[in-house]
Amino acid sequence: NKRIFDFFIEAAKDIEENSDVYIATGHGADEFNDLDVKCIYNDKYSETNMLYTLWNSLKHINIKDRSLFVSYSDIIFPSDTFSKISTKNEMTIAVDTRWEPNYVGRTLHGIDQCEKCLIDSDNNLLTCSKKLPFQNSLYSEYLGILYIPSILTLQIKEKLDQVFSRKYLPNPFMFSDSLKQSYITDFLSYLVCQGSKIQCVDIIDKWFEIDTEQDVINAQKILK
């Protein structure tokens, strides 16, 4: 008897009772009218992707001296996940090192959609993308949850502004065919190439991505 978005509300309250919650909307924006959250509409949602949506959203949020959690909206996860990835003053992402069983029998959203992460021995991110070749058996999966501590939020926003200020929207960006269709994983890989350090925290608890009705059924079995 929960909506997917209820998991985000619980996680935000687990960090701080008065956390501000924003949701980036596009198609189906009116579905969130009954929620006590701030909505930021991306009027170019039909022609853009995650990274553009994040950039558009941050233009409407005062992030100075504030920590920031960025999360996909189609996942369910334990409410303490935000706490687990925010223990250091470093950019941190949530990953799953035991991700492959989640795709067993998942025929409508297959393993080719896994956002694979390559991580070094110190749990630092090296690169991530669903387009990484499957020959490497040491991948983890990016859950879609990113933490940026307050000391870095303005710096990261400036880097994102720099990327989009070049007006290369039709041009390729990292693993994507165009900047306007790029993913957050492209930006994470870009930051690593620029010298940024991104820590990875393994989330061993029950979490699941919901993309199809088949995923709903599988998630219900896992969460029993």
Side-chain angles (χ1 to χ4, degrees):
N1 295 320
K2 281 187 181 182
R3 298 172 294 194
I4 295 177
F5 202 74
D6 290 334
F7 288 87
F8 297 90
I9 302 298
E10 291 177 5
K13 289 181 178 180
D14 188 69
I15 289 292
E16 182 181 342
E17 188 67 27
N18 296 319
S19 296
D20 290 325
V21 179
Y22 298 85
I23 180 166
T25 64
H27 173 74
D30 56 346
E31 296 293 330
F32 295 92
N33 290 339
D34 65 326
L35 291 177
D36 185 22
V37 295
K38 303 172 181 68
C39 293
I40 301 173
Y41 183 66
N42 174 14
D43 60 358
K44 293 183 173 60
Y45 72 86
S46 62
E47 58 189 88
T48 59
N49 202 355
M50 296 182 194
L51 191 58
Y52 181 94
T53 302
L54 174 60
W55 177 60
N56 176 72
S57 298
L58 292 183
K59 291 188 292 185
H60 300 277
I61 301 173
N62 179 14
I63 60 174
K64 184 179 180 180
D65 299 324
R66 304 192 71 185
S67 298
L68 180 69
F69 292 92
V70 179
S71 177
Y72 296 168
S73 61
D74 61 352
I75 55 175
I76 55 176
F77 53 91
S79 62
D80 62 352
T81 301
F82 286 176
S83 298
K84 288 181 177 179
I85 69 171
S86 58
T87 59
K88 301 179 181 180
N89 279 329
E90 297 177 343
M91 282 187 64
T92 308
I93 63 172
V95 301
D96 183 358
T97 59
R98 292 162 295 277
W99 57 276
E100 291 177 285
N102 286 345
Y103 287 89
V104 175
R106 196 179 180 196
T107 58
L108 300 180
H109 185 88
I111 199 169
D112 59 309
Q113 296 299 309
C114 171
E115 291 189 317
K116 301 177 289 294
C117 299
L118 193 58
I119 301 169
D120 69 14
S121 58
D122 294 320
N123 294 320
N124 294 311
L125 180 69
L126 298 176
T127 189
C128 59
S129 173
K130 66 174 63 176
K131 294 185 178 181
L132 292 178
F134 276 100
Q135 283 82 351
N136 194 315
S137 61
L138 300 178
Y139 290 133
S140 297
E141 180 174 15
Y142 175 49
L143 271 65
I145 302 176
L146 161 69
Y147 168 68
I148 307 175
S150 58
I151 60 172
L152 294 176
T153 48
L154 287 180
Q155 176 184 330
I156 298 304
K157 183 180 182 300
E158 288 174 1
K159 288 182 179 291
L160 190 57
D161 287 339
Q162 290 170 5
V163 168
F164 280 96
S165 67
R166 295 169 185 166
K167 303 186 186 303
Y168 292 156
L169 287 180
N171 291 10
F173 179 67
M174 299 306 290
F175 295 97
S176 292
D177 294 334
S178 69
L179 175 59
K180 70 177 181 179
Q181 285 292 331
S182 58
Y183 294 82
I184 290 177
T185 51
D186 288 311
F187 187 56
L188 295 177
S189 295
Y190 172 81
L191 289 175
V192 172
C193 290
Q194 294 290 308
S196 295
K197 180 180 178 181
I198 301 177
Q199 272 279 299
C200 302
V201 172
D202 192 10
I203 301 300
I204 62 175
D205 297 301
K206 298 174 181 177
W207 76 280
F208 211 82
E209 180 184 22
I210 306 294
D211 281 288
T212 67
E213 291 184 15
Q214 183 184 61
D215 291 342
V216 174
I217 295 172
N218 289 338
Q220 288 172 336
K221 293 177 182 178
I222 291 174
L223 293 176
K224 282 184 178 179

